[in-house]
Amino acid sequence: MLRTHTAGSLRAEHIGQTVTLTGWVDRRRDHGGVAFIDLRDASGIAQVVIRDEAVAHPLRSEFVLKVTGEVGRRPAGNENPNLPTGEIELVATDVEVLNESAPLPFQVSGGEGADPIGEEVRLKHRYLDLRRQGPANAIRLRSQVYKAIRDVLHGREFVEVETPTLTRSTPEGARDFLVPARLHPGSWYALPQSPQLFKQLLMVGGVEKYFQIARCYRDEDFRADRQPEFTQLDIEMSFVEQEDVIEMMEDVITAMWKTIDVDVKTPLPRITYADAMAKYGSDKPDLRFGLELVEATEYFADTPFRVFQSEYVGAVLMPGGASQPRKTLDAWQEWAKQRGARGLAYVLFNEDGTLGGPVAKNLSETEQAGLMELVGAKPGDCAFFAAGDTKASRALLGAARVEIGKRLGLLDPDTFAFTWVVDAPMFEPASDAVASGDVAVGAGAWTAVHHAFTGPKPEFEDTFDTDPGSALAYAYDIVCNGSELGGGSIRIHREDIQKRVFKIMGIDEEQAQEKFGFLLDAFKFGAPPHGGIALGMDRVLQHLTKTESIREVIAFPKSGGGFDPLTEAPAPITPQQRAEAGVDAEPEAVEA
Amino acid sequence: MLRTHTAGSLRAEHIGQTVTLTGWVDRRRDHGGVAFIDLRDASGIAQVVIRDEAVAHPLRSEFVLKVTGEVGRRPAGNENPNLPTGEIELVATDVEVLNESAPLPFQVSGGEGADPIGEEVRLKHRYLDLRRQGPANAIRLRSQVYKAIRDVLHGREFVEVETPTLTRSTPEGARDFLVPARLHPGSWYALPQSPQLFKQLLMVGGVEKYFQIARCYRDEDFRADRQPEFTQLDIEMSFVEQEDVIEMMEDVITAMWKTIDVDVKTPLPRITYADAMAKYGSDKPDLRFGLELVEATEYFADTPFRVFQSEYVGAVLMPGGASQPRKTLDAWQEWAKQRGARGLAYVLFNEDGTLGGPVAKNLSETEQAGLMELVGAKPGDCAFFAAGDTKASRALLGAARVEIGKRLGLLDPDTFAFTWVVDAPMFEPASDAVASGDVAVGAGAWTAVHHAFTGPKPEFEDTFDTDPGSALAYAYDIVCNGSELGGGSIRIHREDIQKRVFKIMGIDEEQAQEKFGFLLDAFKFGAPPHGGIALGMDRVLQHLTKTESIREVIAFPKSGGGFDPLTEAPAPITPQQRAEAGVDAEPEAVEA
């Protein structure tokens, strides 16, 4: 080793010892011809005192030094109680510059308080960005979280298995990344969207308890906060029921949050999909605050107000919202329109007991009189209303509820409100899936809400294909603070049931055989009952680090559009690479 | 859970308890109207007794059962001491068929003693193959080995970091797998051949101790025993010297071999590259046996035998080899010719003290007289000779040595002879690299023996570019039983040295900037001294499981040519997929 100690480990007990440190010049102060250098390594910071001006002169920020000297006590009054090494300093007798640094594109030292830096320049110089406290902590935390996960799962006798990443198109519905196969010109591998089929094959193979922290790939339009490659904690178990998967996963979640010293109380709450939609207008409700949606369809059954003569009428309360200026209330209309709604009706409950806003006067006197009690309002509150199609109206109110929570400061970043969402429908109309931006797999009128391998709850095993709209899936999603961390299901393990599901989804036998014939084949040979779950690790880490983007928890993230400002990938290839890869070859005729 | 106990966990202490097991029908015997079923799950096997013929009748191999019954003691004389559960049996009161199985393509039960099965059919039905004892053990062992590695490295405060797999072409020299970037039509990602550049960037980023069990990709011609994707234990450390990396890795190796109850004695032996070539004709010597090459160039300095008037003459002994029949000795000639040699000279030391074989009579009397002593032979031995170019001759003798070891049964699979090979040359003539099937990176007369980022040993820092043929690399390979498990080096961390290395290799500034400009850029900003190592995990597992192919230690391996008989990947893509992926787009002009 080039050093005898790490910088952050020095304490008063080392006083009098001669030590050698290595690290980076974090900051430097000069005082009376003496240079005081904060020397930083991965463990922390130690103050180095250099009395020789000639030695100290060339040292600039982020130079790499090897410093030998004696550990001394800082002069009285110069201690730094904010620094674990704040009692001591290293009085340098020998300073070697291991490497120099050019002037920096942005400041490395200074932790969270430093000037905000543009993301593009941070990513281009990610190797400097990672020296900063926030990013450095984030990637270290990921490592600790992975360790915590593995400790739990190895303790439960899970087997970590690597599944292939050069494989066949998977049926998740998103676009695959493709890889030309040079030795099979005209044929392509696909990068996996998840190890779903392989983990099910491992169950057929008798592995019984599988996990993997797996790299997955989806070629999506990188809206918002997606990465082309992401990491998933992937788990599958045989001979289990929903309770077993949930119990195991709660153990994992507890261990993960323990890494940030948060005690998660288990068992975690559960909510049915139907309740989540009714009360929160979302299948991933943020339970850090209340403000449940109020269903008012009954209440307005005989309303004179045409807008409320609808399939559904509902409301959400904004405490104190009556004092919003007109401009703000207008902005809510804009907000709603951007979500595809015509607007967002509202009623103000004035302090004097009167009702304000354009809607109130359209209501009957009885309706007006009972309104405050209906929505649970106090004077000074505001209630937003949506009416029309149940699903769309609830979604709008659910979004309004979260927006209210944000404006009222109810989204406490230090609170973690988990819930399992269970009993989701097995199928949804394919038209709904397409309308909400998902991909409908298959050509049928119905598509799977989870995926095609999710089993029906046992009580729907006989009827899920004759009454697909009523069937509930044997599935469970885990939600934290309004974001979905992951989900899973008890799978179909019988070939006959799998075929019936494909049929409902309009996947014909030929397609089924073509896409995942190998799974159907495997089901012929004694597939055990099995189920599992997958967690999006980037999302989990984002919660644990309380950062705003998943890019903050990835060592080398892509920016928008899947571009890497650091390596400048992707890049053009040479004609020779193209020719060798066989990109332009016709597929070989399939041998009979 | 569908079960109360695992099958393999039942013992005499459970006698009298009512339990429920789940698992597969491993074997069935019928005796006096009673069916005895070996029920198998991941934990082992338990004997189930079914007295109801109607229940037992339909049960066939690999049916999945749920069996409830009372644990009883097996009748005296019927115990099976070979089975951990051999004292007990489960007398079934309730048998539920969880799934059926079609007739099997090959037998699952029976462990190692079962009939050999063709690899193609095993891989096509890998989900059945994995139920067999050997394959099941192999993938479980991999999980344990990964745990052992992580325990060591987390204990040493290493940080596990995931590096990107959609990235830019890496400079390892092999062909990249390519991925079209839909959002950047005409541009492509490359799958990484290793995380080399990223791990160096992590060191620049101050991570100091990095590891990853990383998926890597090489689009090679799948000769022999290669897979298009493979797994590498990838490690990098800052502020270290060679000793530190070696010490850490010996700790990892010890922990890995501990999983198969083998105690590895450390420190492991070391041999210089020069010694390895001189004594074993290989940079990955098999040290399970001796039979070192004997250099005889001096001895034959004045030989009348033209063939031995060469740059190099050497020999390797085959104890007892004098009794090889003529046909076998002729076969050795064929063996040598297949390696590109003209033949393999030999001398037989007959029991009567005379010399046999066609070479002896060409030697001078003095040469003949001293020959036995020279090569250390006893009567009855045979010595093989090679003469000519030093490198080629040693390689031939080295291969002959291993072949002799194999024929004499010296390659004990239960012995693990490790060695570090150190002090390899930094460069080799590019023509040599090409001749030996490697790729010469760059257009220069010299190419790196390890790779372009390997530093010179400190004593060659000033001279490696003026005298490249003499410079030694600061590199180390770890070898076990004649196969290279991995290797690493202390890297270049200074931009000026890196540029000098590129220059020697004929990589001009433009190419360097184009390919890894981001690494050179990073080196401008205080890169610390660093070094690391990578281990081929598939190879390591092959040693630990003592299997003949790396395919045995991979959950879902590809067969020859990178084809997966199970999923039938790769496969043709649709015109729509092709169009969407932007495969045929011209690259966009680079913005100024």
Side-chain angles (χ1 to χ4, degrees):
Chain A
M1 289 299 282
L2 302 184
R3 62 189 169 199
T4 61
H5 291 72
T6 55
S9 68
L10 295 183
R11 296 289 182 277
E13 71 199 65
H14 296 98
I15 288 169
Q17 293 183 21
T18 296
V19 305
T20 300
L21 301 182
T22 54
W24 288 266
V25 175
D26 192 67
R27 283 171 208 248
R28 125 173 224 173
R29 284 168 300 116
D30 288 87
H31 187 70
V34 178
F36 296 89
I37 285 177
D38 281 352
L39 192 74
R40 185 191 70 242
D41 67 15
S43 69
I45 280 178
Q47 177 167 292
V48 171
V49 181
I50 305 178
R51 298 192 191 282
D52 184 335
E53 282 190 67
V55 169
H57 180 71
L59 308 181
R60 294 196 304 271
S61 283
E62 301 306 315
F63 271 40
V64 188
L65 306 185
K66 177 180 169 185
V67 182
T68 301
E70 189 175 305
V71 181
R73 186 178 296 283
R74 293 201 193 185
N78 286 352
E79 300 90 350
N80 182 348
N82 298 321
L83 215 57
T85 62
E87 277 186 85
I88 60 90
E89 60 188 13
L90 180 64
V91 183
T93 52
D94 190 61
V95 176
E96 182 183 345
V97 175
L98 295 173
N99 216 343
E100 303 186 346
S101 176
L104 302 169
F106 53 82
Q107 196 182 321
V108 167
S109 72
E112 301 308 325
D115 286 342
I117 308 159
E119 190 176 42
E120 194 77 8
V121 69
R122 284 178 53 204
L123 293 185
K124 182 171 169 55
H125 300 279
R126 183 67 168 160
Y127 44 85
L128 288 176
D129 192 39
L130 287 173
R131 290 186 201 159
R132 296 169 63 235
Q133 202 175 302
N137 289 349
I139 65 162
R140 287 181 154 72
L141 182 65
R142 188 185 272 263
S143 178
Q144 287 167 35
V145 169
Y146 284 6
K147 174 170 165 32
I149 291 169
R150 289 196 170 93
D151 285 349
V152 169
L153 295 178
H154 282 300
R156 287 169 170 259
E157 298 187 316
F158 276 78
V159 182
E160 186 172 6
V161 182
E162 293 163 288
T163 53
T165 58
L166 291 174
T167 180
R168 236 185 127 88
S169 273
T170 42
E172 272 81 354
R175 232 179 260 107
D176 287 317
F177 281 107
L178 299 168
V179 183
R182 183 175 54 84
L183 296 176
H184 300 270
S187 285
W188 298 63
Y189 298 105
L191 300 179
Q193 294 179 36
S194 85
Q196 182 66 33
L197 297 181
F198 287 106
K199 72 177 175 176
Q200 294 197 243
L201 290 173
L202 287 172
M203 293 304 104
V204 180
V207 171
E208 289 191 18
K209 292 179 176 183
Y210 145 89
F211 84 99
Q212 183 180 198
I213 297 182
R215 202 71 63 88
C216 304
Y217 304 83
R218 278 181 206 183
D219 188 7
E220 296 176 302
D221 295 317
F222 303 110
R223 33 171 185 170
D225 206 12
R226 298 285 181 96
Q227 290 280 312
E229 55 181 311
F230 58 96
T231 303
Q232 176 169 306
L233 170 59
D234 197 49
I235 294 179
E236 197 78 5
M237 307 164 77
S238 291
F239 306 119
V240 293
E241 295 161 301
Q242 174 171 301
E243 260 345 285
D244 304 303
V245 180
I246 285 181
E247 184 268 338
M248 174 280 305
M249 186 45 64
E250 292 188 351
D251 208 357
V252 170
I253 287 172
T254 305
M256 294 194 298
W257 260 259
K258 194 85 189 159
T259 62
I260 57 162
D261 293 322
V262 168
D263 285 320
V264 174
K265 283 204 186 63
T266 58
L268 300 176
R270 298 186 198 179
I271 186 170
T272 65
Y273 179 93
D275 274 359
M277 297 308 278
K279 292 183 180 170
Y280 304 102
S282 170
D283 59 356
K284 28 185 192 282
D286 191 332
L287 300 186
R288 281 177 294 184
F289 63 102
L291 302 185
E292 290 181 13
L293 312 194
V294 176
E295 165 134 19
T297 319
E298 281 285 302
Y299 185 84
F300 291 111
D302 303 313
T303 187
F305 183 38
R306 269 241 301 250
V307 176
F308 283 8
Q309 292 164 7
S310 288
E311 177 187 305
Y312 171 91
V313 186
V316 62
L317 197 70
M318 183 175 184
S323 56
Q324 294 178 95
R326 181 60 192 257
K327 220 170 71 181
T328 310
L329 290 163
D330 288 346
W332 271 108
Q333 306 311 310
E334 267 318 300
W335 175 92
K337 282 176 187 160
Q338 281 176 8
R339 269 164 186 72
R342 265 171 301 178
L344 189 64
Y346 61 89
V347 171
L348 308 174
F349 298 96
N350 297 325
E351 296 288 355
D352 62 5
T354 61
L355 299 184
V359 166
K361 60 180 175 296
N362 294 300
L363 306 179
S364 72
E365 269 186 40
T366 330
E367 285 168 351
Q368 291 188 28
L371 206 54
M372 192 176 246
E373 192 187 339
L374 172 76
V375 300
K378 292 194 192 68
D381 292 351
C382 163
F384 293 106
F385 288 85
D389 169 70
T390 307
K391 193 170 173 177
S393 303
R394 282 174 168 170
L396 181 64
L397 290 174
R401 173 182 172 271
V402 172
E403 185 62 28
I404 292 166
K406 195 183 294 174
R407 295 190 189 190
L408 299 183
L410 303 175
L411 308 185
D412 175 12
D414 293 323
T415 297
F416 298 98
F418 294 94
T419 187
W420 289 101
V421 178
V422 297
D423 292 352
M426 191 162 172
F427 302 105
E428 64 181 334
S431 53
D432 282 14
V434 172
S436 64
D438 288 341
V439 179
V441 178
W446 298 92
T447 190
V449 170
H450 276 76
H451 54 56
F453 311 105
T454 297
K457 292 195 79 176
E459 57 268 38
F460 297 96
E461 202 168 284
D462 294 334
T463 58
F464 70 82
D465 45 354
T466 50
D467 182 11
S470 302
L472 297 184
Y474 211 0
Y476 30 82
D477 284 348
I478 179 71
V479 169
C480 176
N481 294 359
S483 90
E484 186 187 319
L485 302 184
S489 61
I490 302 298
R491 322 296 181 188
I492 299 163
H493 69 281
R494 275 167 39 195
E495 194 190 4
D496 57 331
I497 296 184
Q498 187 67 67
K499 285 189 169 170
R500 283 166 57 204
V501 168
F502 284 154
K503 199 170 169 195
I504 282 289
M505 294 173 64
I507 300 174
D508 66 27
E509 291 235 358
E510 195 184 336
Q511 279 177 297
Q513 198 59 40
E514 148 95 34
K515 277 214 150 193
F516 16 76
F518 55 97
L519 186 68
L520 298 179
D521 284 349
F523 282 178
K524 295 191 210 301
F525 296 105
H530 61 285
I533 193 165
L535 280 197
M537 288 313 303
D538 303 310
R539 189 72 60 211
V540 167
L541 263 296
Q542 196 190 336
H543 280 280
L544 293 171
T545 55
K546 302 170 190 173
T547 48
E548 298 227 331
S549 161
I550 58 168
R551 291 187 294 279
E552 295 295 328
V553 299
I554 295 171
F556 297 101
K558 305 281 192 296
S559 66
F563 180 74
D564 178 4
L566 171 59
T567 64
E568 298 185 346
I573 55 174
T574 65
Q576 189 198 347
Q577 282 180 300
R578 185 176 179 98
E580 280 192 346
V583 171
D584 298 309
E586 287 296 311
E588 289 165 5
V590 177
E591 288 175 35
Chain B
M1 289 297 284
L2 303 184
R3 63 188 168 200
T4 60
H5 291 71
T6 54
S9 69
L10 294 183
R11 297 288 182 277
E13 73 200 65
H14 296 98
I15 288 169
Q17 293 184 20
T18 295
V19 305
T20 301
L21 301 182
T22 54
W24 288 265
V25 175
D26 192 67
R27 285 171 207 246
R28 130 173 218 171
R29 285 166 301 116
D30 287 88
H31 187 72
V34 178
F36 296 89
I37 284 176
D38 281 352
L39 192 73
R40 186 192 69 240
D41 68 15
S43 69
I45 281 178
Q47 177 167 293
V48 171
V49 181
I50 305 178
R51 299 190 191 282
D52 184 334
E53 283 189 65
V55 169
H57 179 71
L59 308 180
R60 294 196 305 272
S61 283
E62 301 304 316
F63 272 40
V64 187
L65 305 185
K66 177 179 170 186
V67 181
T68 301
E70 189 175 305
V71 181
R73 185 178 297 281
R74 292 198 194 187
N78 286 351
E79 301 90 350
N80 182 349
N82 299 321
L83 215 57
T85 62
E87 275 186 87
I88 61 90
E89 60 189 12
L90 180 64
V91 183
T93 52
D94 191 60
V95 176
E96 182 184 344
V97 175
L98 295 174
N99 216 343
E100 303 187 346
S101 175
L104 302 169
F106 53 81
Q107 195 182 324
V108 167
S109 72
E112 302 307 327
D115 286 340
I117 307 158
E119 190 176 44
E120 193 76 9
V121 70
R122 285 178 52 203
L123 293 185
K124 181 170 170 55
H125 300 279
R126 182 67 168 162
Y127 44 84
L128 288 176
D129 192 39
L130 287 173
R131 290 187 201 159
R132 297 168 63 235
Q133 202 176 300
N137 289 347
I139 66 162
R140 287 182 153 73
L141 183 65
R142 187 184 272 262
S143 178
Q144 288 167 37
V145 169
Y146 285 7
K147 174 169 165 34
I149 290 169
R150 289 195 170 94
D151 285 349
V152 169
L153 294 178
H154 282 300
R156 287 169 169 259
E157 298 187 316
F158 276 78
V159 183
E160 185 171 7
V161 182
E162 293 163 287
T163 54
T165 58
L166 291 174
T167 180
R168 235 184 128 90
S169 273
T170 42
E172 272 82 354
R175 230 179 259 107
D176 287 318
F177 281 107
L178 299 168
V179 184
R182 183 175 54 83
L183 296 176
H184 300 270
S187 285
W188 299 63
Y189 299 105
L191 301 179
Q193 295 180 34
S194 86
Q196 182 66 33
L197 297 180
F198 287 105
K199 71 176 175 176
Q200 294 197 244
L201 290 173
L202 288 171
M203 294 304 104
V204 180
V207 171
E208 290 191 16
K209 292 178 176 186
Y210 145 89
F211 84 99
Q212 183 180 199
I213 297 182
R215 202 71 62 89
C216 305
Y217 304 84
R218 279 183 205 183
D219 188 8
E220 296 177 302
D221 295 317
F222 303 110
R223 39 176 177 165
D225 205 12
R226 299 284 181 97
Q227 291 279 313
E229 54 181 312
F230 58 96
T231 303
Q232 176 170 307
L233 170 60
D234 197 49
I235 294 180
E236 198 78 6
M237 307 164 77
S238 291
F239 305 118
V240 292
E241 297 160 301
Q242 173 171 301
E243 267 334 294
D244 304 302
V245 181
I246 286 181
E247 184 269 337
M248 174 279 304
M249 186 45 67
E250 292 188 352
D251 209 357
V252 171
I253 286 171
T254 304
M256 294 195 297
W257 260 259
K258 194 86 189 159
T259 63
I260 56 161
D261 293 323
V262 169
D263 285 319
V264 174
K265 284 204 185 64
T266 58
L268 300 175
R270 298 186 197 178
I271 186 171
T272 65
Y273 180 92
D275 273 359
M277 296 308 275
K279 292 182 180 170
Y280 304 101
S282 169
D283 58 357
K284 29 184 189 283
D286 191 333
L287 300 186
R288 281 177 294 182
F289 63 103
L291 302 184
E292 290 180 13
L293 312 194
V294 176
E295 166 134 18
T297 318
E298 280 286 302
Y299 185 83
F300 290 113
D302 303 312
T303 187
F305 183 38
R306 270 239 303 251
V307 176
F308 282 9
Q309 292 162 8
S310 289
E311 177 186 308
Y312 171 91
V313 187
V316 62
L317 196 71
M318 182 175 186
S323 57
Q324 293 177 96
R326 181 59 193 256
K327 221 170 72 180
T328 310
L329 290 164
D330 288 346
W332 273 107
Q333 306 310 310
E334 265 319 299
W335 175 92
K337 282 176 188 159
Q338 280 176 7
R339 269 163 184 72
R342 265 171 304 178
L344 190 64
Y346 61 88
V347 171
L348 307 174
F349 299 95
N350 297 323
E351 297 287 354
D352 63 4
T354 61
L355 301 183
V359 166
K361 60 181 177 292
N362 293 301
L363 306 179
S364 73
E365 270 186 42
T366 329
E367 285 167 352
Q368 291 188 30
L371 205 53
M372 193 176 249
E373 192 187 338
L374 172 75
V375 300
K378 292 195 191 69
D381 292 351
C382 162
F384 292 106
F385 288 85
D389 170 70
T390 305
K391 192 170 173 177
S393 303
R394 281 173 168 170
L396 181 65
L397 290 174
R401 174 183 172 270
V402 172
E403 184 63 27
I404 292 165
K406 194 183 295 174
R407 296 190 188 188
L408 299 183
L410 303 176
L411 309 185
D412 176 12
D414 293 323
T415 297
F416 298 97
F418 293 93
T419 188
W420 290 101
V421 177
V422 297
D423 292 352
M426 190 162 173
F427 302 105
E428 64 181 335
S431 53
D432 283 13
V434 173
S436 65
D438 288 341
V439 180
V441 177
W446 299 92
T447 190
V449 170
H450 277 75
H451 55 54
F453 310 105
T454 296
K457 293 195 80 177
E459 58 268 38
F460 297 96
E461 203 168 283
D462 295 333
T463 58
F464 71 82
D465 44 355
T466 50
D467 182 11
S470 302
L472 298 184
Y474 211 1
Y476 31 82
D477 284 347
I478 178 72
V479 169
C480 176
N481 295 357
S483 90
E484 186 186 319
L485 301 184
S489 61
I490 301 299
R491 322 297 181 188
I492 299 163
H493 69 282
R494 275 167 41 195
E495 195 191 3
D496 57 331
I497 296 183
Q498 187 67 68
K499 284 189 168 170
R500 284 165 57 203
V501 168
F502 283 155
K503 198 167 169 201
I504 281 290
M505 293 173 64
I507 300 174
D508 65 28
E509 291 237 358
E510 194 183 337
Q511 279 176 299
Q513 198 59 39
E514 149 94 33
K515 277 213 149 194
F516 15 77
F518 55 97
L519 186 69
L520 297 179
D521 284 349
F523 282 178
K524 295 191 211 300
F525 296 105
H530 61 284
I533 193 165
L535 279 196
M537 288 312 303
D538 303 310
R539 189 70 60 208
V540 166
L541 263 297
Q542 197 190 336
H543 280 280
L544 292 171
T545 55
K546 302 170 191 173
T547 48
E548 298 227 329
S549 160
I550 59 169
R551 291 187 295 280
E552 294 295 328
V553 299
I554 295 171
F556 296 101
K558 305 281 193 295
S559 66
F563 180 74
D564 178 4
L566 171 59
T567 63
E568 298 185 347
I573 56 174
T574 65
Q576 190 198 345
Q577 282 180 300
R578 185 177 179 96
E580 281 193 347
V583 171
D584 299 309
E586 287 296 311
E588 288 165 7
V590 178
E591 286 174 38

